[in-house]
Structures are given as C-alpha cells and as structure tokens.
Amino acid sequence: MSAPHGKAAGHGKAASPFKQPKAVWAVAFACVISFMGIGLVDPILPALAESLHATPSQVSLLFSSYLIVTAVAMLIVGWFSSRFGAKRTLVTGLAVIVVFAALAGSSGSINGIVGFRAGWGLGNALFIATSLAVIVASASGGFGGAIILYETALGLGIAVGPLLGGELGAISWRGPFFGVAILMAVALIATLAFVPNLPKPERRTSPLAPLKALRHRGLLTMGIMALLYNWGFFTMLGYAPYPMELGAHQLGLVFTCWGLLVAAFSVFFAPRLQARYGTAPVLYANLLGLSIVMAVIAAGVASPTVVIVAVIVSGAFIGINNTLTTQAVMLVSPVERPVASSAYGFLRFIGGGLAPYVAGKLADATDLSVPFYLGAATFLLAIPVLAFGHRLLREAETRTGEGEPVTPTFTSVGTAAPTGTPPVIVAVGAHEGAAVIVDAAARLARDTGSPLEVVHVQQTAVVEEQAADAEDFAQAHATVTAHLDRLAAHGVVARGQILGSVGDHAAAGRALARHAAEVGARAVAVGRSPRGPLAQFADGSFTAALTHAATCTVVLVDPGSEPRPLTAAMLPELRGAAG
C-alpha cells in the first residue's frame, strides 16, 4: 500500500494568539473594560459614602443592584442572542453600559447611582454572554489562540480595574464611572466598525430553559454551592475597603494585588490542581481556606493590616474557586452548556447581589465583624452542599453519570481496524496542518506494517461562566471522516476516534496515553503544537503530558524530516521552537 503525501505548509512557528484581526482586538478591549466593572468601584466606596453622606449599607447597594439585575438578565440573554444574533447582542450590551455608566457618573445621589448601576448590570449580562463566542468566531491562528487572548483580557480586567478605579477615584469619585463610559464607547465604535455579522444559531433558546434546567439535581446543587460561595465573596468585596482605612489610590493598589492573584490562580493553577486531585477535593479544601481567611478578617477587623493581608491572600482561593466551580457545573449538567451557564450565572449572581445588602443591615444593627463572620459561615456551608452532590460529580468525572463530562471521552468513527496487530495512533487537532501530520503518520504505519488510528482532539474551553467549542461534534466527525476517506483512497487501513476534552489539554494527553496502553499501540505520533508556548503554559501541554504518561513510544512526525522518538528531555526544545 502507498501512503498519501501532503504539503508541509503551516508547520513553522506557531501562530501567536496576539496576531489577530481588528474585530478580535475590538472585542478583547471591551472584555478588559467589562471585567474591570466590579473591582473598579471598590477603591471609591469610602469616598462615595463620605461625599454623598451615605452609610456603608447604602453604598453596598451599588453591588446589589448591579448583580441582581445581572442575575435576572442571565435567564434571557441566551434567548436574546439566539433571536438577534451575537453581534447585535454584543453591541446592545456595550451601548447600555456606556449610557448607564455615564448616568451614574452624572448622578448626585446614592439612590441615583444604585439605579444606574442596575442598568449597567443589564448591559454587562448581554455583553459577557456573547463576548467569548464572538472572539472564537472571529479569531485567526486557531481556537487555542482565541482562548488565551480571552483569558488574558479577563486577567487584565480583574487586575487593572481596581488600579484604574483608585487612580481616577483619587481625582473624583465620578472618575471611574466616566472612565468606563468613555472606554466602552471606544469599544462600541470599534465593534460596530470591525466585527462582522455572525450567523444566528440554528435553534432558538427558550427564555424558560435556564429555570427548567434547575430541576436537575446536579445543576441545582452546584448552583446553590455557587450562591453560597458568592455570598461570602461579595461580602468581602463590598465591605473590606472600610476597615482598611485607606484612600482611593491605596485601595486601588491593594485590590490590584488581589486581582493579580485571582487571575494567576484562575488561569494557571486551577487546571493543574484539578487534574492532580480532582474537582471536588480541591473545592473542599479551597472553600475551607476561604472560610478561614474570612474568619481572620472578622476577628482582625480592627486592624487594617490584618484585613489588607487577608484580602490579598484570598485572591488565590477565589481564582481557583471561580474556575473550578464553573468546571463542576459543566461536569454535572445534563443540558446544553449555554443553558447551564445561564442557570448557574443566575444563582451565582443572586448570591452576590443579596450579600452586600444583608451585610449592610447586619453591620448597622451590630458591628462590622458580623458580616464577615456570616461570610465565613457561607463558605463553610458550601462544603456540605457540595458533598450532597459529590456522588454526581464523581460519576461525571468517571463518565458514568448523565451529565456532559469534562473528563476526556473517546467516540469511535468508521469501521474497526483488524485486531491482533498493534496500531500506530496519530493525534491531531482542528488546525490547517492536521492532514499533513496524519499523512506522515500513515507512512510510519506503512513502514512498520501497522494499522493506523486517527485520534482527532475536539477541545472545549471553559472561562468563568462561559464555554466555547472549537467545533461541534458534527464538524469533528466530518473532519475524521475526511481523513479516513483520504487514507482509504491510498490503501491505508485506518479507523478514527474523536477525543472530547473540556478545558485541560494535559488531561487529554494523559487520556490518550491510557487509551494507547489499552489497545497495545506500537507508537503514538504527534506533530508540533500549533498553539505556542503561552497557550501551552496556560492550560497544559498535550504533548508533554502524553510523553510523560505513555508506556509506548511517542514519535514526533515533522513533514520533511524522519520521525523521531520524543523524550522528556526534548520537550523544552519543542516549546522553544514553537515560540
């Protein structure tokens, strides 16, 4: 038999996630400003209370109105987007934010600002529901580049928001509101100018779908756990600035340090902890850690230093929790991911919205330590709630539950290969150079007298409440079928597999190593990663995890070069060559 020959185009250096069309940069810029939204007001809370002669409990309603409206809006954003399209939803959200942020800055009363923050929350819900999908649809350089760009925008927004709020707040408490209005107006103009119209979904989402989804025990359990977690989180965010006794500039610096830890632990550390220990054990430990930190704040509320240090440290726990709580929801949810995200977002933001209001009433009636003790208790209470759904979570992680699993799964495509002969497995993703890698692996299989198994990696990214697919199952199936048809035309015996993986490339690499051992593979062939070193560092390297875990030979197939075995010592060289 003869193996096909392909062109080696597209196998030089990996595409940079930052070489993107103008449309992507327009939305990414808006993402940064949107993610600034919550942390931006923290540095000006004491100044607002003083300037407008308001109590801390009155000022806390800035969080409550914003988050409760965001929560309710999460129930309808899926329906709105499916009816009017992603671009219109995005533009509507941006326009609403611009208008209400400017109105908040123009207001002369705390009640006016609270009302305008509610409108801001509506715009934010419309924006965050579609921003990730628009970036993925418009990005060049592959799915991984789009996700790393979105995560970068997330990290920048969380970290820079308090800093900008502190700098502008040092001039006037109105500064952060007008600053957001101006920056979002720039993003709105850029979105209108550069983002193309995107196709609407084939099927419209019902506005009742998120509420109906909460009838499922697993999703409801994880949603209640998220509600309790966010109760403690927004109690800290809304009330910690007062006992710090700092000016707007200094508060901005404190919450910037906090935001840097949130971003770093969310993007870099949470996936690795999840892969090593599992979702539930990490969440148990993390919720316990947050409860201890909140109890420290409550006990040391009279000491600004204690409060400052504890708040900054909490950023590490919050970063892990934000990522893994979403992962837990996706694990146990038996409904479509956008619907699960909306249902989860509704409960999550309801908890965040009610907490500052209740904290304010408690602080007025007792003292400032009581809201923090209650926050510590809600973190602690989230642990038995999570334990109530532990079986569902464990079953989903081992692929025996009814939910859509986050753990990698294999789906066969085509007819089974002849048994008795160890196969050569080739792993490829959804990128333009995949056919070249498959064809090179086919020649390796021919030379060793082995059947070929083509494993197509279908990747889903989960960032905060949002999930995005590089391709749907039908597209992945069509891609594998095209590989098999091309190989069959050249007399190559092959079968196909789709390896579905959510959020963690390294977990997919380890899953492929286990599969190779189960089928007694002669070798596993991979090409050079098109994702680049930045993306690989953020969510794990498929090739590195495969090389470390595989019991058979892992071979690098480079078009134009002889296949060569991969070892752990060669991995740094590969990462360097990808940059």
Side-chain angles (χ1 to χ4, degrees):
M1 63 182 177
S2 62
H5 294 270
K7 295 179 182 179
H11 280 271
K13 289 189 175 182
S16 168
F18 302 108
K19 292 181 180 178
Q20 300 289 351
K22 293 178 181 178
V24 173
W25 284 114
V27 180
F29 175 73
C31 287
V32 174
I33 310 306
S34 174
F35 294 134
M36 287 181 179
I38 295 176
L40 193 78
V41 300
D42 260 288
I44 61 170
L45 294 180
L48 268 175
E50 182 179 348
S51 299
L52 298 178
H53 308 291
T55 64
S57 62
Q58 289 175 310
V59 174
S60 72
L61 294 177
L62 267 72
F63 287 101
S64 295
S65 63
Y66 176 87
L67 292 168
I68 289 174
V69 170
T70 298
V72 176
M74 291 298 291
L75 298 176
I76 63 165
V77 290
W79 167 82
F80 189 96
S81 179
S82 66
R83 183 178 179 85
F84 297 102
K87 182 177 179 179
R88 286 187 181 180
T89 305
L90 200 68
V91 167
T92 301
L94 288 170
V96 170
I97 293 172
V98 169
V99 169
F100 283 97
L103 289 173
S106 304
S107 179
S109 70
I110 191 65
N111 289 335
I113 298 174
V114 169
F116 294 135
R117 279 281 285 178
W120 189 341
L122 172 62
N124 192 58
L126 291 169
F127 176 80
I128 63 176
T130 49
S131 55
L132 177 57
V134 171
I135 284 183
V136 169
S138 305
S140 63
F143 178 70
I147 297 305
I148 200 67
L149 184 65
Y150 188 84
E151 290 179 331
T152 301
L154 169 69
L156 279 175
I158 291 173
V160 175
L163 184 63
L164 181 63
E167 294 301 320
L168 295 176
I171 302 171
S172 167
W173 63 262
R174 301 178 189 272
F177 298 115
F178 286 130
V180 167
I182 293 169
L183 292 172
M184 277 301 203
V186 173
L188 173 60
I189 293 169
T191 299
L192 287 168
F194 301 124
V195 176
N197 288 320
L198 299 171
K200 297 178 184 178
E202 295 180 2
R203 185 167 59 88
R204 291 183 180 178
T205 301
S206 167
L208 297 178
L211 287 176
K212 290 180 179 178
L214 291 174
R215 293 180 300 185
H216 297 286
R217 176 188 162 193
L219 182 57
L220 180 61
T221 300
M222 295 305 155
I224 293 173
M225 186 266 290
L227 185 154
L228 292 168
Y229 157 67
N230 276 273
W231 187 292
F233 171 30
F234 282 100
T235 296
M236 185 199 70
L237 209 60
Y239 265 80
Y242 298 103
M244 290 184 190
E245 300 177 1
L246 299 174
H249 176 73
Q250 290 80 11
L251 279 172
L253 292 176
V254 169
F255 279 96
T256 295
C257 294
W258 167 84
L260 288 171
L261 283 180
V262 171
F265 277 79
S266 176
V267 175
F268 299 126
F269 294 96
R272 286 163 171 74
L273 289 171
Q274 181 191 34
R276 180 163 185 175
Y277 299 108
T279 305
V282 175
L283 282 173
Y284 288 139
N286 207 63
L287 289 166
L288 179 60
L290 278 168
S291 182
I292 293 171
V293 169
M294 280 291 277
V296 169
I297 294 175
V301 74
S303 170
T305 301
V306 170
V307 177
I308 290 168
V309 172
V311 166
I312 292 174
V313 169
S314 74
F317 294 105
I318 288 168
I320 294 170
N321 226 81
N322 284 351
T323 296
L324 295 195
T325 302
T326 304
Q327 293 277 17
V329 170
M330 297 303 166
L331 271 166
V332 302
S333 173
V335 298
E336 296 174 343
R337 288 194 183 99
V339 174
S341 295
S342 294
Y344 158 63
F346 168 68
L347 289 177
R348 176 189 179 189
F349 288 122
I350 282 290
L354 293 176
Y357 173 77
V358 173
K361 294 299 182 183
L362 284 174
D364 288 345
T366 54
D367 64 70
L368 197 53
S369 67
V370 175
F372 294 112
Y373 278 122
L374 177 60
T378 59
F379 284 137
L380 206 58
L381 184 59
I383 295 175
V385 172
L386 176 61
F388 184 71
H390 185 96
R391 181 180 59 82
L392 293 173
L393 194 56
R394 186 181 66 252
E395 287 176 351
E397 284 192 305
T398 56
R399 302 197 297 274
T400 59
E402 64 175 352
E404 183 173 4
V406 167
T407 46
T409 57
F410 286 89
T411 304
S412 296
V413 179
T415 57
T419 57
T421 305
V424 169
I425 297 175
V426 57
V428 289
H431 58 85
E432 62 182 9
V436 179
I437 297 172
V438 171
D439 294 348
R443 293 190 289 275
L444 176 63
R446 175 202 61 196
D447 294 342
T448 58
S450 306
L452 183 67
E453 181 174 302
V454 180
V455 176
H456 177 86
V457 183
Q458 181 193 10
Q459 187 67 23
T460 294
V462 177
V463 188
E464 287 293 293
E465 295 84 19
Q466 303 304 309
D469 295 307
E471 56 190 339
D472 60 27
F473 180 81
Q475 291 171 320
H477 191 280
T479 300
V480 177
T481 301
H483 286 313
L484 298 181
D485 290 346
R486 188 182 66 258
L487 293 167
H490 290 83
V492 178
V493 179
R495 65 168 295 183
Q497 294 271 10
I498 297 173
L499 170 54
S501 176
V502 178
D504 189 351
H505 285 264
R510 289 188 290 271
L512 182 59
R514 291 193 296 271
H515 173 71
E518 290 169 1
V519 300
R522 187 185 301 275
V524 178
V526 295
R528 291 184 182 271
S529 172
R531 296 169 52 240
L534 181 59
Q536 291 180 58
F537 180 72
D539 57 9
S541 168
F542 178 93
T543 303
L546 171 64
T547 303
H548 285 296
T551 55
C552 63
T553 302
V554 178
V555 179
L556 177 67
V557 288
D558 234 346
S561 303
E562 288 296 316
R564 50 178 177 150
L566 266 180
T567 63
M570 293 174 60
L571 294 174
E573 174 193 338
L574 283 183
R575 283 192 289 268

